[in-house]
Amino acid sequence: SAGVLFGLITLLVQYVGLFMLGFHGGLILGIIILCSIEIFGSQSSPDSPWISVGILLLSGLVMSLCNLYFQRVLTIFNAALYGGAVITTSLDYFVEHSVMLKWVWDRVCVRDSPPICWFSWAIAATWPFAFILGIVLQVWLTKDGIYHEEQFPPIKRRRANKNETREE
């Protein structure tokens, strides 16, 4: 019931929804940063889990505030990023029983884990593909100027005189 209530609040109050979408996008970018430190960095991972928490919170807050300012561009970016993550995580769950997800969670918790095989990396490679496809589709579908703020048609009003036409 808490999830339904929170979902209704984010649906009905536009800025809460934009804030939460930006926050989730920032969390995903923070996870990408933590995994990149492990893959490309000289050290294995941050020394403390609090550093991981700080990176996640900082990136989440920065992206949520940026999403409130640059609404259209970052809504498309964050929705595609989040959607790609959901598709990749689902594929990982059904194909490998969440091997890649467990590896990523170990990066967040600053734990050692066994190296993963090439097949897990192949599944993880679906994320950039789904992300780019999501951006392209959203830009293509909203190219005519349709945006979430314009979802309801204008209200038609009647004039006092019946001989005059109604306003369109």
Side-chain angles (χ1 to χ4, degrees):
S1 61
V4 170
L5 180 64
F6 194 69
L8 285 173
I9 290 170
T10 58
L11 176 72
L12 297 174
V13 182
Q14 175 186 358
Y15 292 109
V16 174
L18 289 170
F19 183 87
M20 291 308 297
L21 180 64
F23 191 76
H24 286 130
L27 286 178
I28 292 173
L29 287 177
I31 289 172
I32 291 172
I33 290 169
L34 290 173
C35 292
S36 297
I37 290 171
E38 173 77 19
I39 296 168
F40 301 114
S42 59
Q43 62 180 3
S44 61
S45 62
D47 296 330
S48 169
W50 290 107
I51 296 174
S52 296
V53 170
I55 289 172
L56 293 175
L57 285 177
L58 183 67
S59 63
L61 287 175
V62 167
M63 281 300 289
S64 60
L65 294 176
C66 288
N67 198 29
L68 288 173
Y69 190 73
F70 303 107
Q71 292 181 4
R72 182 168 187 206
V73 174
L74 287 182
T75 297
I76 291 173
F77 177 84
N78 288 326
L81 187 68
Y82 194 76
V86 169
I87 290 170
T88 303
T89 305
S90 301
L91 188 62
D92 181 41
Y93 173 77
F94 286 115
V95 174
E96 286 198 312
H97 304 291
S98 301
V99 171
M100 191 68 175
L101 182 64
K102 291 174 187 172
W103 182 84
V104 169
W105 183 247
D106 287 341
R107 302 294 68 78
V108 172
C109 294
V110 189
R111 287 188 280 202
D112 290 331
S113 61
I116 53 177
C117 68
W118 68 270
F119 194 69
S120 297
W121 289 111
I123 289 175
T126 60
W127 189 357
F129 175 73
F131 170 65
I132 292 169
L133 184 65
I135 286 179
V136 168
L137 284 175
Q138 289 183 71
V139 168
W140 179 60
L141 291 173
T142 61
K143 68 181 176 194
D144 297 329
I146 298 172
Y147 188 55
H148 71 275
E149 293 175 344
E150 303 163 358
Q151 63 186 344
F152 301 110
I155 299 172
K156 296 180 180 179
R157 298 181 187 157
R158 289 191 173 185
R159 293 202 173 241
N161 189 353
K162 292 182 180 180
N163 292 334
E164 295 180 21
T165 60
R166 289 189 292 170
E167 289 182 357
E168 293 291 316

